[in-house]
């Protein structure tokens, strides 16, 4: 089975974010970009399928600028992906998710793909559009919020479940398919040290992204601001849980007056 | 000129160690310190990720890292728990004599099967009668045909109760002093190898430390590393390789102490403002940061020299000595910053002081490091 997994470089959760000097974007300087969250689940799903279906290959594809995009692809290779393609966005990557999906679709069309896996949304902007747009552009069915996808060899189809607030839906579909994965349902593995060292020497194919579409070029980012720091929090110091609870009740009763 | 900007490869090694340290080690550090449990489930994960046997060449199943890269990893691990780190890296010390002094056949025979599985090895140099005066060790190795017979006792041996392989230093003739010392590889399964009880220690309580007795242990001549009498030099060359990561281990403990102290100082209020706004605390934090920065750079410089193939004895002794002395000072000041809370076991900083203390003692006591430093530097004046 030929599996394509799309990943996105996302700022590490502990990174201190700053606004760029022109005030319209995040300042990428000193930000550490990593493979994270939903994408880790997508890579893990790809590797689980590869391990369960003999002869499978996993091809990681990422759209973005240097050097962060190459770094997340190396992280994907260290986890076990067989090959990688970097779609070079140039210094100013598209922010429009449909444009991103176009760039990904252009790279995916010429390569074998029985299944295209993505995080159901990115860990930073959390737009959740790319997977659906990619399904449309590739003209294959797409599903989001997927957990637990398997290949039914006898029936030649995928069997998978979608998590919704009402419960779990069970589905099946033949190849090819685009699937957006729910986060961390599958306990993503950690890359091992020898694999990390080996991934540094792995070849990464490079293609250049097409220019932004006319539709997307009509909009532009005007301003980017960080959320205002929150105030009003009160820290309670304690040595035992009992002491914490006693102090909290006192504050709730005497200061916040939520109890009589 | 050394360039200490890390390569992307080094950053990814450090990230792996950091992630492992913070997700797998740190949440259990207080518990294993309290109970002195040997957390095998954590060590097994470290092995699975390739964080043990860091110095063993890849062709023998190790991670094949140089000293600099080992230091990056060790500092991250020690940030979470010094004791666990000692047990995780003890194989590096125990296997280094085989890496440095073993024949290709011995490396194939010992390192390959050892690294293929999760297991521990121990370095047996120190004896109850002393560790610093290694030339005067008492363990005897008497030749008997194509075997040696080992008799004696080693103590304060990291991971000894759990080890499956020991590198043991014994003398073929005590009257020869240094020139009689010979190194052997001894499997735990050999008749007469008797590991003793786990010691109850002040710090590094996640690590296991014990004695090993050798009672008439027959060791094939094929298990001797180098020639008869070459053991002392092999032990010293081993320590030249492994001393610098102890500097990194101490630096990791110190960095944890500073991070705790700085975070606490921003939160804790006295006289109407956070104590971080009092000069008394600012001076402490600044001194701690200086010591840590210097310790890290000394460690990196020593590692850089050794990785270039230079001996680095002077630099690694300076790094180990300075970093470990600094770690004790920094942990001590972190406790002072916390005040009464710092003295309580519910808070994390008193453990750091207990863990830092050992780094002044093991892998060559700091008095020995200072003797080495003086010897090396006086050469320049003679």
């Amino acid at each position: 089975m030929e599996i394509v997994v799309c990943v996105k470089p996302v700022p590490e959760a502990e990174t201190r974010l700053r606004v760029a000097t022109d005030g319209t974007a995040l300042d990428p300087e000193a930000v550490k970009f990593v493979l994270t969250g939903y994408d880790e689940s997508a890579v893990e799903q790809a590797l689980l399928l590869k391990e369960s279906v003999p002869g499978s290959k996993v091809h990681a594809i990422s759209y973005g600028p240097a050097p962060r995009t190459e770094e997340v692809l190396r992280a994907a290779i260290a986890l076990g992906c067989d090959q990688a393609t970097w779609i070079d966005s140039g210094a100013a990557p598209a922010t429009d998710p449909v444009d991103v999906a176009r760039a990904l679709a252009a790279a995916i069309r010429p390569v074998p793909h029985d299944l295209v896996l993505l995080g159901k949304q990115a860990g930073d902007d959390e737009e959740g559009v790319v997977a659906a747009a990619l399904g449309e552009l590739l003209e294959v069915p797409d599903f989001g919020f997927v957990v637990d996808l398997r290949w039914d060899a006898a029936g030649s189809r995928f069997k998978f479940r979608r998590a919704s607030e009402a419960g779990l839906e069970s589905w099946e579909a033949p190849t090819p398919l685009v699937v957006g994965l729910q986060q961390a349902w599958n306990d993503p593995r950690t890359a091992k040290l020898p694999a990390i060292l080996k991934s540094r020497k792995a070849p990464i194919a490079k293609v250049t992204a097409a220019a932004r579409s006319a539709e997307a070029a009509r909009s532009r980012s005007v301003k980017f601001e960080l959320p205002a720091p929150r105030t009003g929090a009160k820290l309670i110091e304690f040595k035992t849980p009992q002491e914490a609870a006693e102090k909290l009740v006192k504050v709730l009763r005497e200061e916040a007056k939520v109890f009589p | 000129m050394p360039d200490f900007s890390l390569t992307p490869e080094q950053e990814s090694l450090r990230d792996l160690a950091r992630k492992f340290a913070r997700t797998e080690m740190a949440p259990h550090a207080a518990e294993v310190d309290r109970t002195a449990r040997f957390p095998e489930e954590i060590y097994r994960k470290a092995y699975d990720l390739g964080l043990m046997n860091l110095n063993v060449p890849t062709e023998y199943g190790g991670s094949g890292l140089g000293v600099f890269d080992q230091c990056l990893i060790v500092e991250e691990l020690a940030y979470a728990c010094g004791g666990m780190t000692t047990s995780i890296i003890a194989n590096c010390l125990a296997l280094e004599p085989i890496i440095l002094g073993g024949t290709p056949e011995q490396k194939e025979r010992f390192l390959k099967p050892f690294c293929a599985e999760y297991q521990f090895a121990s370095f047996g140099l120190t004896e109850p009668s002393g560790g610093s005066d290694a030339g005067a060790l008492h363990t005897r190795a008497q030749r008997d045909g194509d075997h040696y017979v080992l008799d004696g006792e080693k103590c304060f041996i990291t991971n000894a109760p759990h080890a499956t392989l020991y590198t043991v230093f014994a003398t073929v003739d005590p009257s020869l002093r240094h020139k009689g010392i010979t190194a052997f590889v001894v499997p735990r399964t050999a008749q007469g190898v008797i590991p003793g009880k786990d010691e109850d220690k002040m710090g590094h309580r996640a690590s296991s430390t014990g004695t090993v007795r050798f009672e008439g242990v027959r060791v094939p001549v094929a298990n001797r590393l180098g020639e008869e009498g070459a053991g002392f030099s092999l032990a010293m060359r081993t320590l030249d390789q492994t001393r610098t990561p102890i500097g990194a281990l101490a630096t990791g403990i110190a960095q944890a102490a500073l991070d705790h102290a700085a975070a606490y100082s921003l939160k804790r209020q006295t006289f109407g403002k956070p104590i971080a706004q009092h000069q008394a605390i600012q001076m402490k934090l600044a001194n701690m940061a200086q010591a840590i920065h210097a310790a890290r750079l000394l460690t990196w410089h020593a590692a850089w020299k050794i990785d270039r193939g230079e001996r680095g004895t002077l630099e690694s002794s300076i790094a180990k000595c300075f970093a470990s002395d600094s770690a004790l000072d920094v942990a001590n000041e972190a406790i002072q910053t916390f005040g009464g809370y710092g003295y309580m076991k519910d808070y994390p900083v008193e453990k750091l002081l207990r863990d830092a203390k050992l780094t002044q003692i093991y892998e060559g006591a700091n008095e020995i490091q200072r003797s080495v430093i003086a010897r090396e530097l006086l050469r320049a004046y003679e």
Side-chain angles (χ1 to χ4, degrees):
Chain A
M1 179 178 302
E2 301 286 347
I3 305 160
V4 167
V5 60
C6 301
V7 293
K8 178 182 181 183
V10 167
E12 194 178 39
E14 291 174 11
T15 296
R16 278 176 188 267
L17 301 177
R18 282 191 317 216
V19 180
T21 42
D22 73 352
T24 68
L26 177 72
D27 182 2
E29 201 58 36
V31 173
K32 190 168 174 63
F33 288 90
V34 293
L35 174 72
T36 186
Y38 304 100
D39 288 354
E40 280 184 306
S41 286
V43 172
E44 180 65 25
Q45 174 65 79
L47 298 173
L48 290 173
L49 268 177
K50 176 186 156 182
E51 286 157 5
S52 67
V53 183
S56 297
K57 281 218 297 279
V58 181
H59 183 171
I61 297 182
S62 186
Y63 166 86
R68 70 180 88 148
T69 313
E70 190 188 322
E71 286 304 312
V72 295
L73 286 171
R74 295 215 182 274
I77 292 169
L79 286 165
C81 294
D82 302 283
Q83 66 181 111
T85 299
W86 167 31
I87 309 167
D88 186 0
S89 66
T95 50
D96 182 278
V98 179
D99 259 10
V100 174
R102 281 196 185 94
L104 291 171
I108 293 168
R109 265 185 218 109
V111 301
H113 55 279
D114 299 311
L115 175 68
V116 179
L117 291 167
L118 304 84
K120 77 171 170 69
Q121 63 195 58
D124 50 1
D125 56 36
E126 306 203 320
E127 285 179 315
V129 175
V130 172
L134 194 55
E136 285 303 301
L137 292 164
L138 293 173
E139 295 178 25
V140 303
D142 66 86
F143 292 84
F145 300 90
V146 168
V147 297
D148 192 21
L149 178 132
R150 290 162 208 280
W151 174 245
D152 172 16
S156 275
R157 54 190 51 240
F158 293 106
K159 292 191 167 180
F160 54 95
R161 293 189 292 176
R162 294 180 75 240
S164 73
E165 286 187 12
L168 280 174
E169 304 167 0
S170 293
W171 288 80
E172 53 180 47
T175 63
L177 197 61
V178 174
V179 165
L181 264 294
Q182 189 58 279
Q183 182 169 3
W185 64 274
N186 53 13
D187 191 16
R189 67 194 69 187
T190 301
K192 299 179 178 188
L193 191 149
I196 289 172
L197 293 178
K198 215 171 144 198
S199 75
R200 302 306 319 180
K201 298 181 184 81
I204 290 180
K206 181 179 154 182
V207 297
T208 303
R212 299 181 68 192
S213 63
E215 298 93 304
R218 287 206 297 267
S219 62
R220 66 185 181 91
S221 166
V222 180
K223 193 174 179 193
F224 185 88
E225 50 195 333
L226 298 174
R230 292 185 204 169
T231 55
K234 185 179 177 74
L235 287 174
I236 293 176
E237 290 191 5
F238 60 94
K239 272 191 272 182
T240 62
Q242 190 169 358
E243 187 190 344
E246 281 167 7
K247 285 186 171 173
L248 177 61
V249 169
K250 194 169 149 61
V251 169
L252 291 174
R253 183 170 282 150
E254 294 173 11
E255 294 179 29
K257 299 196 194 303
V258 292
F259 297 144
Chain B
M1 277 289 286
D3 174 0
F4 291 150
S5 50
L6 303 184
T7 64
E9 173 177 303
Q10 288 171 321
E11 283 193 21
S12 48
L13 290 177
R14 190 187 56 186
D15 290 349
L16 167 69
R18 181 171 294 178
K19 185 175 174 194
F20 179 77
R22 300 194 183 184
T23 59
E24 304 289 344
M25 292 167 66
H28 306 284
E31 178 254 315
V32 291
D33 176 62
R34 193 172 60 249
T35 58
R37 186 171 69 82
F38 191 71
E40 295 242 28
E41 73 286 2
I42 296 172
Y43 300 149
R44 185 177 287 278
K45 281 183 194 163
Y47 168 80
D48 286 341
L49 288 176
L51 294 171
M52 273 162 77
N53 311 327
L54 294 172
N55 57 342
V56 177
T58 50
E59 63 260 45
Y60 301 114
S63 298
L65 298 186
V67 176
F68 194 100
D69 293 353
Q70 289 178 50
C71 284
L72 292 177
I73 290 174
V74 169
E75 184 184 329
E76 290 300 330
L77 300 182
Y79 184 90
C81 182
M84 290 185 207
T85 308
T86 288
S87 270
I88 289 170
I89 67 169
N91 283 0
C92 297
L93 173 63
L95 301 176
E96 189 68 40
I98 306 176
I99 298 167
L100 288 176
T103 62
E105 182 276 327
Q106 286 175 320
K107 291 180 193 181
E108 193 76 21
R109 181 155 52 96
F110 295 125
L111 296 177
K112 240 187 191 165
F114 182 87
C115 292
E117 282 178 56
Y118 160 73
Q119 52 190 323
F120 293 101
S122 289
F123 179 79
L125 180 65
T126 299
E127 300 189 350
S129 59
S132 294
D133 185 8
L137 57 81
H138 291 88
T139 298
R140 289 296 302 267
Q142 282 174 304
R143 182 79 182 243
D144 178 20
D146 56 1
H147 281 74
Y148 287 86
V149 180
L150 262 58
D151 283 286
E153 186 174 24
K154 299 289 177 182
C155 72
F156 308 141
I157 305 302
T158 299
N159 294 346
H162 302 272
T164 53
L165 197 74
Y166 300 90
T167 42
V168 179
F169 294 83
T171 177
V172 292
D173 181 353
S175 70
L176 293 174
R177 297 251 325 153
H178 301 85
K179 290 176 182 151
I181 294 172
T182 309
F184 300 93
V185 180
V186 183
R188 164 75 182 85
T189 49
Q191 189 83 33
V193 177
I194 305 163
K197 68 169 177 66
D198 237 337
E199 302 287 356
D200 188 10
K201 301 189 296 295
M202 170 183 175
H204 289 243
R205 293 171 59 80
S207 178
S208 166
T209 308
T211 55
V212 200
R213 279 221 320 278
F214 300 95
E215 290 186 359
V217 178
R218 293 182 66 80
V219 181
V221 173
N223 285 20
R224 190 186 68 205
L225 296 171
E227 296 303 313
E228 278 192 9
F232 186 80
S233 151
L234 182 58
M236 295 305 117
R237 284 190 292 135
T238 294
L239 294 170
D240 277 347
Q241 293 289 320
T242 58
R243 193 180 294 124
T244 311
I246 299 303
L249 193 151
T251 306
I253 295 173
Q255 185 67 55
L258 173 59
D259 287 359
H260 283 303
Y264 182 79
S265 73
L266 288 166
K267 209 173 62 177
R268 171 73 171 169
Q269 305 251 344
T270 63
F271 305 103
K273 55 186 177 182
I275 60 171
Q277 288 177 24
H278 297 309
Q279 272 197 351
I281 299 300
Q282 291 175 355
M283 301 300 115
K284 277 192 205 309
L285 295 175
N287 289 342
M288 292 158 84
Q290 288 178 53
I292 292 167
H293 192 56
R296 183 176 295 120
L297 289 178
L298 286 171
T299 302
W300 284 10
H301 179 251
W304 169 80
K305 263 200 121 157
I306 293 165
D307 283 344
R308 277 159 55 98
E310 297 182 41
R311 196 161 65 103
T313 306
L314 173 66
E315 291 79 5
S316 63
S317 287
I318 291 175
K320 188 272 184 187
C321 191
F322 184 86
S324 55
D325 285 350
S326 297
L328 194 79
D329 290 344
V330 169
N332 196 23
E333 287 293 75
I335 294 175
Q336 195 67 21
T337 305
F338 272 72
Y341 290 112
Y343 200 65
M344 301 299 139
K345 291 208 168 189
D346 290 334
Y347 287 77
V349 284
E350 60 81 34
K351 171 184 186 288
L352 300 174
L353 182 89
R354 290 185 284 108
D355 286 350
K357 182 64 210 172
L358 184 59
T359 63
Q360 293 183 307
I361 298 171
Y362 71 176
E363 298 241 350
N366 280 7
E367 289 70 23
I368 294 296
Q369 306 301 342
R370 287 188 167 84
S371 298
V372 170
I373 293 164
R375 185 190 70 207
E376 296 281 320
L377 79 90
L378 284 172
R379 275 189 193 153
Y381 295 90
E382 278 165 8

